[in-house]
Amino acid sequence: SAWLMRQQFSKAKQLINQKLLWCANPVLQRTTPFPEDLALESLTALLSGHAMAHVHCYQVHDLEMMIRLSKEFGFHINAFHHALEAYKLANVLADEGIA
């Protein structure tokens, strides 16, 4: 659901901020370990621009949800795969540069 995805994206964004703070603060570097969460590694890579989003979904409401999340969290969706109802959003996908 969108709520669960938003929750995970929010956690990944917080982790990125913690990493940036740690990298900028020599005191933290000496006193605390580097912030990591392997469960969020893929999402932090996506939000940091080090990974591409290829999304598998079928229906319009799922396509729209992912587009909203991409705008909210600042990542680009490279492609939707198996998106049977993508033709209903052709103009939106073209405007967003999504294949």
PDB file of all heavy atoms in Angstrom, residues 16-56:
ATOM      1  N   ILE A  16      19.548   8.672   5.118  1.00  0.00           N
ATOM      2  CA  ILE A  16      20.439   9.508   4.293  1.00  0.00           C
ATOM      3  C   ILE A  16      20.864  10.736   5.081  1.00  0.00           C
ATOM      4  O   ILE A  16      22.050  11.101   5.090  1.00  0.00           O
ATOM      5  CB  ILE A  16      19.747   9.910   2.972  1.00  0.00           C
ATOM      6  CG1 ILE A  16      19.593   8.693   2.061  1.00  0.00           C
ATOM      7  CG2 ILE A  16      20.516  11.031   2.270  1.00  0.00           C
ATOM      8  CD1 ILE A  16      18.695   8.934   0.863  1.00  0.00           C
ATOM      9  N   ASN A  17      19.918  11.384   5.747  1.00  0.00           N
ATOM     10  CA  ASN A  17      20.243  12.570   6.543  1.00  0.00           C
ATOM     11  C   ASN A  17      21.202  12.233   7.681  1.00  0.00           C
ATOM     12  O   ASN A  17      22.121  13.001   7.981  1.00  0.00           O
ATOM     13  CB  ASN A  17      18.966  13.224   7.069  1.00  0.00           C
ATOM     14  CG  ASN A  17      18.149  13.867   5.968  1.00  0.00           C
ATOM     15  OD1 ASN A  17      18.672  14.229   4.921  1.00  0.00           O
ATOM     16  ND2 ASN A  17      16.857  13.979   6.185  1.00  0.00           N
ATOM     17  N   GLN A  18      20.999  11.080   8.315  1.00  0.00           N
ATOM     18  CA  GLN A  18      21.907  10.647   9.383  1.00  0.00           C
ATOM     19  C   GLN A  18      23.309  10.401   8.841  1.00  0.00           C
ATOM     20  O   GLN A  18      24.306  10.765   9.478  1.00  0.00           O
ATOM     21  CB  GLN A  18      21.386   9.369  10.045  1.00  0.00           C
ATOM     22  CG  GLN A  18      20.139   9.562  10.861  1.00  0.00           C
ATOM     23  CD  GLN A  18      19.524   8.236  11.292  1.00  0.00           C
ATOM     24  OE1 GLN A  18      19.974   7.170  10.909  1.00  0.00           O
ATOM     25  NE2 GLN A  18      18.470   8.326  12.095  1.00  0.00           N
ATOM     26  N   LYS A  19      23.404   9.804   7.650  1.00  0.00           N
ATOM     27  CA  LYS A  19      24.711   9.551   7.036  1.00  0.00           C
ATOM     28  C   LYS A  19      25.420  10.868   6.711  1.00  0.00           C
ATOM     29  O   LYS A  19      26.624  11.005   6.933  1.00  0.00           O
ATOM     30  CB  LYS A  19      24.555   8.715   5.762  1.00  0.00           C
ATOM     31  CG  LYS A  19      24.192   7.272   6.022  1.00  0.00           C
ATOM     32  CD  LYS A  19      24.044   6.511   4.707  1.00  0.00           C
ATOM     33  CE  LYS A  19      23.748   5.052   4.957  1.00  0.00           C
ATOM     34  NZ  LYS A  19      23.759   4.257   3.717  1.00  0.00           N
ATOM     35  N   LEU A  20      24.667  11.818   6.157  1.00  0.00           N
ATOM     36  CA  LEU A  20      25.251  13.120   5.823  1.00  0.00           C
ATOM     37  C   LEU A  20      25.740  13.840   7.078  1.00  0.00           C
ATOM     38  O   LEU A  20      26.829  14.430   7.079  1.00  0.00           O
ATOM     39  CB  LEU A  20      24.248  13.985   5.069  1.00  0.00           C
ATOM     40  CG  LEU A  20      23.877  13.526   3.663  1.00  0.00           C
ATOM     41  CD1 LEU A  20      22.728  14.357   3.106  1.00  0.00           C
ATOM     42  CD2 LEU A  20      25.084  13.571   2.743  1.00  0.00           C
ATOM     43  N   LEU A  21      24.952  13.787   8.140  1.00  0.00           N
ATOM     44  CA  LEU A  21      25.346  14.402   9.397  1.00  0.00           C
ATOM     45  C   LEU A  21      26.604  13.740   9.954  1.00  0.00           C
ATOM     46  O   LEU A  21      27.536  14.413  10.389  1.00  0.00           O
ATOM     47  CB  LEU A  21      24.201  14.303  10.411  1.00  0.00           C
ATOM     48  CG  LEU A  21      24.464  14.875  11.799  1.00  0.00           C
ATOM     49  CD1 LEU A  21      24.700  16.383  11.709  1.00  0.00           C
ATOM     50  CD2 LEU A  21      23.294  14.574  12.721  1.00  0.00           C
ATOM     51  N   TRP A  22      26.650  12.429   9.924  1.00  0.00           N
ATOM     52  CA  TRP A  22      27.810  11.678  10.411  1.00  0.00           C
ATOM     53  C   TRP A  22      29.065  12.044   9.617  1.00  0.00           C
ATOM     54  O   TRP A  22      30.127  12.269  10.190  1.00  0.00           O
ATOM     55  CB  TRP A  22      27.537  10.177  10.324  1.00  0.00           C
ATOM     56  CG  TRP A  22      28.576   9.329  10.966  1.00  0.00           C
ATOM     57  CD1 TRP A  22      28.593   8.900  12.260  1.00  0.00           C
ATOM     58  CD2 TRP A  22      29.750   8.795  10.351  1.00  0.00           C
ATOM     59  NE1 TRP A  22      29.715   8.124  12.477  1.00  0.00           N
ATOM     60  CE2 TRP A  22      30.446   8.046  11.319  1.00  0.00           C
ATOM     61  CE3 TRP A  22      30.288   8.864   9.065  1.00  0.00           C
ATOM     62  CZ2 TRP A  22      31.629   7.383  11.061  1.00  0.00           C
ATOM     63  CZ3 TRP A  22      31.469   8.209   8.799  1.00  0.00           C
ATOM     64  CH2 TRP A  22      32.130   7.482   9.784  1.00  0.00           C
ATOM     65  N   CYS A  23      28.927  12.119   8.291  1.00  0.00           N
ATOM     66  CA  CYS A  23      30.080  12.438   7.436  1.00  0.00           C
ATOM     67  C   CYS A  23      30.593  13.861   7.665  1.00  0.00           C
ATOM     68  O   CYS A  23      31.779  14.127   7.488  1.00  0.00           O
ATOM     69  CB  CYS A  23      29.714  12.244   5.968  1.00  0.00           C
ATOM     70  SG  CYS A  23      29.534  10.518   5.492  1.00  0.00           S
ATOM     71  N   ALA A  24      29.707  14.761   8.053  1.00  0.00           N
ATOM     72  CA  ALA A  24      30.091  16.162   8.244  1.00  0.00           C
ATOM     73  C   ALA A  24      30.576  16.463   9.661  1.00  0.00           C
ATOM     74  O   ALA A  24      31.044  17.564   9.924  1.00  0.00           O
ATOM     75  CB  ALA A  24      28.900  17.071   7.911  1.00  0.00           C
ATOM     76  N   ASN A  25      30.496  15.488  10.565  1.00  0.00           N
ATOM     77  CA  ASN A  25      30.806  15.749  11.962  1.00  0.00           C
ATOM     78  C   ASN A  25      31.912  14.811  12.463  1.00  0.00           C
ATOM     79  O   ASN A  25      31.653  13.645  12.770  1.00  0.00           O
ATOM     80  CB  ASN A  25      29.541  15.562  12.797  1.00  0.00           C
ATOM     81  CG  ASN A  25      29.702  16.024  14.223  1.00  0.00           C
ATOM     82  OD1 ASN A  25      30.786  15.939  14.795  1.00  0.00           O
ATOM     83  ND2 ASN A  25      28.607  16.484  14.813  1.00  0.00           N
ATOM     84  N   PRO A  26      33.139  15.302  12.575  1.00  0.00           N
ATOM     85  CA  PRO A  26      34.249  14.462  13.030  1.00  0.00           C
ATOM     86  C   PRO A  26      34.041  13.876  14.426  1.00  0.00           C
ATOM     87  O   PRO A  26      34.519  12.780  14.713  1.00  0.00           O
ATOM     88  CB  PRO A  26      35.446  15.405  13.014  1.00  0.00           C
ATOM     89  CG  PRO A  26      35.062  16.537  12.138  1.00  0.00           C
ATOM     90  CD  PRO A  26      33.568  16.643  12.216  1.00  0.00           C
ATOM     91  N   VAL A  27      33.328  14.584  15.287  1.00  0.00           N
ATOM     92  CA  VAL A  27      33.072  14.057  16.637  1.00  0.00           C
ATOM     93  C   VAL A  27      32.205  12.804  16.552  1.00  0.00           C
ATOM     94  O   VAL A  27      32.486  11.792  17.203  1.00  0.00           O
ATOM     95  CB  VAL A  27      32.416  15.134  17.529  1.00  0.00           C
ATOM     96  CG1 VAL A  27      32.017  14.554  18.868  1.00  0.00           C
ATOM     97  CG2 VAL A  27      33.352  16.323  17.700  1.00  0.00           C
ATOM     98  N   LEU A  28      31.158  12.868  15.746  1.00  0.00           N
ATOM     99  CA  LEU A  28      30.312  11.690  15.558  1.00  0.00           C
ATOM    100  C   LEU A  28      31.097  10.526  14.960  1.00  0.00           C
ATOM    101  O   LEU A  28      30.892   9.373  15.330  1.00  0.00           O
ATOM    102  CB  LEU A  28      29.119  12.013  14.646  1.00  0.00           C
ATOM    103  CG  LEU A  28      27.951  12.755  15.252  1.00  0.00           C
ATOM    104  CD1 LEU A  28      26.879  13.025  14.202  1.00  0.00           C
ATOM    105  CD2 LEU A  28      27.356  11.978  16.408  1.00  0.00           C
ATOM    106  N   GLN A  29      32.007  10.846  14.050  1.00  0.00           N
ATOM    107  CA  GLN A  29      32.801   9.795  13.417  1.00  0.00           C
ATOM    108  C   GLN A  29      33.659   9.047  14.433  1.00  0.00           C
ATOM    109  O   GLN A  29      33.904   7.853  14.282  1.00  0.00           O
ATOM    110  CB  GLN A  29      33.675  10.389  12.312  1.00  0.00           C
ATOM    111  CG  GLN A  29      32.869  10.909  11.144  1.00  0.00           C
ATOM    112  CD  GLN A  29      33.725  11.640  10.132  1.00  0.00           C
ATOM    113  OE1 GLN A  29      34.932  11.502  10.093  1.00  0.00           O
ATOM    114  NE2 GLN A  29      33.079  12.445   9.292  1.00  0.00           N
ATOM    115  N   ARG A  30      34.112   9.739  15.451  1.00  0.00           N
ATOM    116  CA  ARG A  30      34.937   9.102  16.474  1.00  0.00           C
ATOM    117  C   ARG A  30      34.119   8.380  17.542  1.00  0.00           C
ATOM    118  O   ARG A  30      34.609   7.462  18.184  1.00  0.00           O
ATOM    119  CB  ARG A  30      35.848  10.137  17.135  1.00  0.00           C
ATOM    120  CG  ARG A  30      36.990  10.608  16.255  1.00  0.00           C
ATOM    121  CD  ARG A  30      38.007  11.439  17.035  1.00  0.00           C
ATOM    122  NE  ARG A  30      37.432  12.616  17.674  1.00  0.00           N
ATOM    123  CZ  ARG A  30      37.282  13.803  17.092  1.00  0.00           C
ATOM    124  NH1 ARG A  30      37.670  13.989  15.852  1.00  0.00           N
ATOM    125  NH2 ARG A  30      36.748  14.817  17.762  1.00  0.00           N
ATOM    126  N   THR A  31      32.881   8.820  17.740  1.00  0.00           N
ATOM    127  CA  THR A  31      32.111   8.302  18.875  1.00  0.00           C
ATOM    128  C   THR A  31      30.973   7.353  18.498  1.00  0.00           C
ATOM    129  O   THR A  31      30.474   6.635  19.370  1.00  0.00           O
ATOM    130  CB  THR A  31      31.518   9.465  19.695  1.00  0.00           C
ATOM    131  OG1 THR A  31      30.668  10.246  18.843  1.00  0.00           O
ATOM    132  CG2 THR A  31      32.615  10.339  20.283  1.00  0.00           C
ATOM    133  N   THR A  32      30.548   7.359  17.252  1.00  0.00           N
ATOM    134  CA  THR A  32      29.428   6.496  16.856  1.00  0.00           C
ATOM    135  C   THR A  32      29.742   5.787  15.541  1.00  0.00           C
ATOM    136  O   THR A  32      30.474   6.315  14.700  1.00  0.00           O
ATOM    137  CB  THR A  32      28.126   7.307  16.668  1.00  0.00           C
ATOM    138  OG1 THR A  32      28.325   8.267  15.637  1.00  0.00           O
ATOM    139  CG2 THR A  32      27.706   7.993  17.946  1.00  0.00           C
ATOM    140  N   PRO A  33      29.188   4.614  15.347  1.00  0.00           N
ATOM    141  CA  PRO A  33      29.407   3.919  14.076  1.00  0.00           C
ATOM    142  C   PRO A  33      28.632   4.598  12.943  1.00  0.00           C
ATOM    143  O   PRO A  33      27.656   5.322  13.179  1.00  0.00           O
ATOM    144  CB  PRO A  33      28.870   2.517  14.336  1.00  0.00           C
ATOM    145  CG  PRO A  33      27.917   2.658  15.463  1.00  0.00           C
ATOM    146  CD  PRO A  33      28.385   3.830  16.286  1.00  0.00           C
ATOM    147  N   PHE A  34      29.081   4.349  11.735  1.00  0.00           N
ATOM    148  CA  PHE A  34      28.410   4.872  10.549  1.00  0.00           C
ATOM    149  C   PHE A  34      26.980   4.330  10.517  1.00  0.00           C
ATOM    150  O   PHE A  34      26.761   3.136  10.685  1.00  0.00           O
ATOM    151  CB  PHE A  34      29.167   4.449   9.287  1.00  0.00           C
ATOM    152  CG  PHE A  34      28.616   5.026   8.021  1.00  0.00           C
ATOM    153  CD1 PHE A  34      28.761   6.371   7.729  1.00  0.00           C
ATOM    154  CD2 PHE A  34      27.946   4.212   7.114  1.00  0.00           C
ATOM    155  CE1 PHE A  34      28.261   6.901   6.558  1.00  0.00           C
ATOM    156  CE2 PHE A  34      27.441   4.731   5.936  1.00  0.00           C
ATOM    157  CZ  PHE A  34      27.599   6.080   5.653  1.00  0.00           C
ATOM    158  N   PRO A  35      25.988   5.208  10.306  1.00  0.00           N
ATOM    159  CA  PRO A  35      24.594   4.750  10.299  1.00  0.00           C
ATOM    160  C   PRO A  35      24.305   3.870   9.079  1.00  0.00           C
ATOM    161  O   PRO A  35      24.539   4.288   7.946  1.00  0.00           O
ATOM    162  CB  PRO A  35      23.775   6.039  10.261  1.00  0.00           C
ATOM    163  CG  PRO A  35      24.717   7.143   9.985  1.00  0.00           C
ATOM    164  CD  PRO A  35      26.108   6.644  10.136  1.00  0.00           C
ATOM    165  N   GLU A  36      23.833   2.672   9.327  1.00  0.00           N
ATOM    166  CA  GLU A  36      23.507   1.748   8.251  1.00  0.00           C
ATOM    167  C   GLU A  36      22.232   0.989   8.576  1.00  0.00           C
ATOM    168  O   GLU A  36      21.928   0.750   9.739  1.00  0.00           O
ATOM    169  CB  GLU A  36      24.622   0.724   8.045  1.00  0.00           C
ATOM    170  CG  GLU A  36      25.895   1.283   7.465  1.00  0.00           C
ATOM    171  CD  GLU A  36      26.898   0.185   7.208  1.00  0.00           C
ATOM    172  OE1 GLU A  36      27.454  -0.333   8.184  1.00  0.00           O
ATOM    173  OE2 GLU A  36      27.098  -0.139   6.031  1.00  0.00           O
ATOM    174  N   ASP A  37      21.535   0.593   7.531  1.00  0.00           N
ATOM    175  CA  ASP A  37      20.387  -0.295   7.654  1.00  0.00           C
ATOM    176  C   ASP A  37      20.281  -1.027   6.325  1.00  0.00           C
ATOM    177  O   ASP A  37      19.836  -0.464   5.324  1.00  0.00           O
ATOM    178  CB  ASP A  37      19.117   0.494   7.948  1.00  0.00           C
ATOM    179  CG  ASP A  37      17.904  -0.392   8.200  1.00  0.00           C
ATOM    180  OD1 ASP A  37      17.938  -1.584   7.822  1.00  0.00           O
ATOM    181  OD2 ASP A  37      16.929   0.107   8.775  1.00  0.00           O
ATOM    182  N   LEU A  38      20.714  -2.270   6.305  1.00  0.00           N
ATOM    183  CA  LEU A  38      20.749  -3.018   5.051  1.00  0.00           C
ATOM    184  C   LEU A  38      19.367  -3.176   4.424  1.00  0.00           C
ATOM    185  O   LEU A  38      19.256  -3.275   3.205  1.00  0.00           O
ATOM    186  CB  LEU A  38      21.406  -4.381   5.266  1.00  0.00           C
ATOM    187  CG  LEU A  38      22.893  -4.322   5.624  1.00  0.00           C
ATOM    188  CD1 LEU A  38      23.426  -5.729   5.840  1.00  0.00           C
ATOM    189  CD2 LEU A  38      23.693  -3.607   4.543  1.00  0.00           C
ATOM    190  N   ALA A  39      18.330  -3.174   5.237  1.00  0.00           N
ATOM    191  CA  ALA A  39      16.973  -3.282   4.709  1.00  0.00           C
ATOM    192  C   ALA A  39      16.584  -2.053   3.882  1.00  0.00           C
ATOM    193  O   ALA A  39      15.701  -2.124   3.030  1.00  0.00           O
ATOM    194  CB  ALA A  39      15.976  -3.485   5.841  1.00  0.00           C
ATOM    195  N   LEU A  40      17.248  -0.927   4.116  1.00  0.00           N
ATOM    196  CA  LEU A  40      16.939   0.315   3.401  1.00  0.00           C
ATOM    197  C   LEU A  40      17.988   0.667   2.348  1.00  0.00           C
ATOM    198  O   LEU A  40      17.898   1.716   1.705  1.00  0.00           O
ATOM    199  CB  LEU A  40      16.819   1.467   4.403  1.00  0.00           C
ATOM    200  CG  LEU A  40      15.691   1.353   5.416  1.00  0.00           C
ATOM    201  CD1 LEU A  40      15.777   2.469   6.446  1.00  0.00           C
ATOM    202  CD2 LEU A  40      14.332   1.364   4.731  1.00  0.00           C
ATOM    203  N   GLU A  41      18.971  -0.187   2.162  1.00  0.00           N
ATOM    204  CA  GLU A  41      20.093   0.132   1.274  1.00  0.00           C
ATOM    205  C   GLU A  41      19.651   0.454  -0.154  1.00  0.00           C
ATOM    206  O   GLU A  41      20.123   1.414  -0.764  1.00  0.00           O
ATOM    207  CB  GLU A  41      21.092  -1.024   1.275  1.00  0.00           C
ATOM    208  CG  GLU A  41      22.459  -0.648   0.769  1.00  0.00           C
ATOM    209  CD  GLU A  41      23.168   0.370   1.653  1.00  0.00           C
ATOM    210  OE1 GLU A  41      22.935   0.411   2.868  1.00  0.00           O
ATOM    211  OE2 GLU A  41      23.974   1.139   1.092  1.00  0.00           O
ATOM    212  N   SER A  42      18.740  -0.323  -0.703  1.00  0.00           N
ATOM    213  CA  SER A  42      18.274  -0.072  -2.069  1.00  0.00           C
ATOM    214  C   SER A  42      17.529   1.254  -2.176  1.00  0.00           C
ATOM    215  O   SER A  42      17.700   2.002  -3.147  1.00  0.00           O
ATOM    216  CB  SER A  42      17.372  -1.203  -2.544  1.00  0.00           C
ATOM    217  OG  SER A  42      18.095  -2.399  -2.645  1.00  0.00           O
ATOM    218  N   LEU A  43      16.689   1.536  -1.176  1.00  0.00           N
ATOM    219  CA  LEU A  43      15.952   2.800  -1.215  1.00  0.00           C
ATOM    220  C   LEU A  43      16.868   3.999  -1.022  1.00  0.00           C
ATOM    221  O   LEU A  43      16.669   5.039  -1.655  1.00  0.00           O
ATOM    222  CB  LEU A  43      14.848   2.812  -0.159  1.00  0.00           C
ATOM    223  CG  LEU A  43      13.656   1.899  -0.427  1.00  0.00           C
ATOM    224  CD1 LEU A  43      12.644   2.000   0.703  1.00  0.00           C
ATOM    225  CD2 LEU A  43      13.003   2.215  -1.758  1.00  0.00           C
ATOM    226  N   THR A  44      17.882   3.883  -0.155  1.00  0.00           N
ATOM    227  CA  THR A  44      18.808   5.008   0.007  1.00  0.00           C
ATOM    228  C   THR A  44      19.595   5.222  -1.281  1.00  0.00           C
ATOM    229  O   THR A  44      19.866   6.366  -1.649  1.00  0.00           O
ATOM    230  CB  THR A  44      19.760   4.819   1.208  1.00  0.00           C
ATOM    231  OG1 THR A  44      20.508   3.620   1.042  1.00  0.00           O
ATOM    232  CG2 THR A  44      18.998   4.788   2.515  1.00  0.00           C
ATOM    233  N   ALA A  45      19.936   4.141  -1.968  1.00  0.00           N
ATOM    234  CA  ALA A  45      20.624   4.282  -3.259  1.00  0.00           C
ATOM    235  C   ALA A  45      19.723   4.977  -4.272  1.00  0.00           C
ATOM    236  O   ALA A  45      20.172   5.859  -5.018  1.00  0.00           O
ATOM    237  CB  ALA A  45      21.062   2.914  -3.777  1.00  0.00           C
ATOM    238  N   LEU A  46      18.454   4.619  -4.296  1.00  0.00           N
ATOM    239  CA  LEU A  46      17.500   5.249  -5.214  1.00  0.00           C
ATOM    240  C   LEU A  46      17.353   6.734  -4.907  1.00  0.00           C
ATOM    241  O   LEU A  46      17.452   7.579  -5.803  1.00  0.00           O
ATOM    242  CB  LEU A  46      16.142   4.551  -5.124  1.00  0.00           C
ATOM    243  CG  LEU A  46      15.017   5.162  -5.949  1.00  0.00           C
ATOM    244  CD1 LEU A  46      15.316   5.056  -7.438  1.00  0.00           C
ATOM    245  CD2 LEU A  46      13.700   4.494  -5.602  1.00  0.00           C
ATOM    246  N   LEU A  47      17.140   7.063  -3.639  1.00  0.00           N
ATOM    247  CA  LEU A  47      16.926   8.459  -3.255  1.00  0.00           C
ATOM    248  C   LEU A  47      18.185   9.302  -3.398  1.00  0.00           C
ATOM    249  O   LEU A  47      18.102  10.519  -3.547  1.00  0.00           O
ATOM    250  CB  LEU A  47      16.402   8.537  -1.819  1.00  0.00           C
ATOM    251  CG  LEU A  47      15.030   7.899  -1.578  1.00  0.00           C
ATOM    252  CD1 LEU A  47      14.630   8.029  -0.113  1.00  0.00           C
ATOM    253  CD2 LEU A  47      13.971   8.503  -2.482  1.00  0.00           C
ATOM    254  N   SER A  48      19.344   8.661  -3.385  1.00  0.00           N
ATOM    255  CA  SER A  48      20.615   9.379  -3.550  1.00  0.00           C
ATOM    256  C   SER A  48      21.038   9.483  -5.008  1.00  0.00           C
ATOM    257  O   SER A  48      22.072  10.072  -5.314  1.00  0.00           O
ATOM    258  CB  SER A  48      21.716   8.668  -2.761  1.00  0.00           C
ATOM    259  OG  SER A  48      21.410   8.656  -1.397  1.00  0.00           O
ATOM    260  N   GLY A  49      20.259   8.895  -5.900  1.00  0.00           N
ATOM    261  CA  GLY A  49      20.580   8.953  -7.322  1.00  0.00           C
ATOM    262  C   GLY A  49      21.588   7.915  -7.776  1.00  0.00           C
ATOM    263  O   GLY A  49      22.126   8.021  -8.873  1.00  0.00           O
ATOM    264  N   HIS A  50      21.841   6.902  -6.958  1.00  0.00           N
ATOM    265  CA  HIS A  50      22.811   5.861  -7.308  1.00  0.00           C
ATOM    266  C   HIS A  50      22.154   4.604  -7.852  1.00  0.00           C
ATOM    267  O   HIS A  50      22.850   3.630  -8.147  1.00  0.00           O
ATOM    268  CB  HIS A  50      23.660   5.504  -6.084  1.00  0.00           C
ATOM    269  CG  HIS A  50      24.429   6.664  -5.546  1.00  0.00           C
ATOM    270  ND1 HIS A  50      25.462   7.271  -6.226  1.00  0.00           N
ATOM    271  CD2 HIS A  50      24.291   7.362  -4.401  1.00  0.00           C
ATOM    272  CE1 HIS A  50      25.938   8.274  -5.515  1.00  0.00           C
ATOM    273  NE2 HIS A  50      25.232   8.358  -4.401  1.00  0.00           N
ATOM    274  N   ALA A  51      20.834   4.612  -7.977  1.00  0.00           N
ATOM    275  CA  ALA A  51      20.097   3.468  -8.525  1.00  0.00           C
ATOM    276  C   ALA A  51      18.921   4.000  -9.341  1.00  0.00           C
ATOM    277  O   ALA A  51      18.470   5.130  -9.149  1.00  0.00           O
ATOM    278  CB  ALA A  51      19.594   2.569  -7.399  1.00  0.00           C
ATOM    279  N   MET A  52      18.452   3.178 -10.266  1.00  0.00           N
ATOM    280  CA  MET A  52      17.318   3.548 -11.103  1.00  0.00           C
ATOM    281  C   MET A  52      16.076   2.796 -10.645  1.00  0.00           C
ATOM    282  O   MET A  52      16.164   1.665 -10.169  1.00  0.00           O
ATOM    283  CB  MET A  52      17.604   3.199 -12.566  1.00  0.00           C
ATOM    284  CG  MET A  52      18.753   3.976 -13.166  1.00  0.00           C
ATOM    285  SD  MET A  52      18.950   3.667 -14.941  1.00  0.00           S
ATOM    286  CE  MET A  52      19.433   1.953 -14.947  1.00  0.00           C
ATOM    287  N   ALA A  53      14.918   3.427 -10.823  1.00  0.00           N
ATOM    288  CA  ALA A  53      13.653   2.804 -10.446  1.00  0.00           C
ATOM    289  C   ALA A  53      12.990   2.190 -11.675  1.00  0.00           C
ATOM    290  O   ALA A  53      12.649   2.884 -12.628  1.00  0.00           O
ATOM    291  CB  ALA A  53      12.721   3.828  -9.815  1.00  0.00           C
ATOM    292  N   HIS A  54      12.843   0.881 -11.644  1.00  0.00           N
ATOM    293  CA  HIS A  54      12.061   0.138 -12.621  1.00  0.00           C
ATOM    294  C   HIS A  54      10.934  -0.503 -11.828  1.00  0.00           C
ATOM    295  O   HIS A  54      11.179  -1.345 -10.965  1.00  0.00           O
ATOM    296  CB  HIS A  54      12.909  -0.926 -13.324  1.00  0.00           C
ATOM    297  CG  HIS A  54      13.887  -0.338 -14.280  1.00  0.00           C
ATOM    298  ND1 HIS A  54      13.697  -0.376 -15.635  1.00  0.00           N
ATOM    299  CD2 HIS A  54      15.046   0.328 -14.072  1.00  0.00           C
ATOM    300  CE1 HIS A  54      14.719   0.236 -16.234  1.00  0.00           C
ATOM    301  NE2 HIS A  54      15.538   0.674 -15.290  1.00  0.00           N
ATOM    302  N   VAL A  55       9.714  -0.087 -12.105  1.00  0.00           N
ATOM    303  CA  VAL A  55       8.573  -0.441 -11.265  1.00  0.00           C
ATOM    304  C   VAL A  55       7.671  -1.432 -11.988  1.00  0.00           C
ATOM    305  O   VAL A  55       7.354  -1.252 -13.164  1.00  0.00           O
ATOM    306  CB  VAL A  55       7.766   0.829 -10.888  1.00  0.00           C
ATOM    307  CG1 VAL A  55       6.601   0.485  -9.995  1.00  0.00           C
ATOM    308  CG2 VAL A  55       8.675   1.853 -10.223  1.00  0.00           C
ATOM    309  N   HIS A  56       7.256  -2.458 -11.274  1.00  0.00           N
ATOM    310  CA  HIS A  56       6.351  -3.475 -11.800  1.00  0.00           C
ATOM    311  C   HIS A  56       4.976  -3.242 -11.189  1.00  0.00           C
ATOM    312  O   HIS A  56       4.798  -3.408  -9.983  1.00  0.00           O
ATOM    313  CB  HIS A  56       6.876  -4.865 -11.408  1.00  0.00           C
ATOM    314  CG  HIS A  56       6.016  -5.971 -11.891  1.00  0.00           C
ATOM    315  ND1 HIS A  56       6.431  -6.855 -12.842  1.00  0.00           N
ATOM    316  CD2 HIS A  56       4.756  -6.341 -11.559  1.00  0.00           C
ATOM    317  CE1 HIS A  56       5.481  -7.723 -13.081  1.00  0.00           C
ATOM    318  NE2 HIS A  56       4.445  -7.433 -12.302  1.00  0.00           N
TER     319      HIS A  56
END
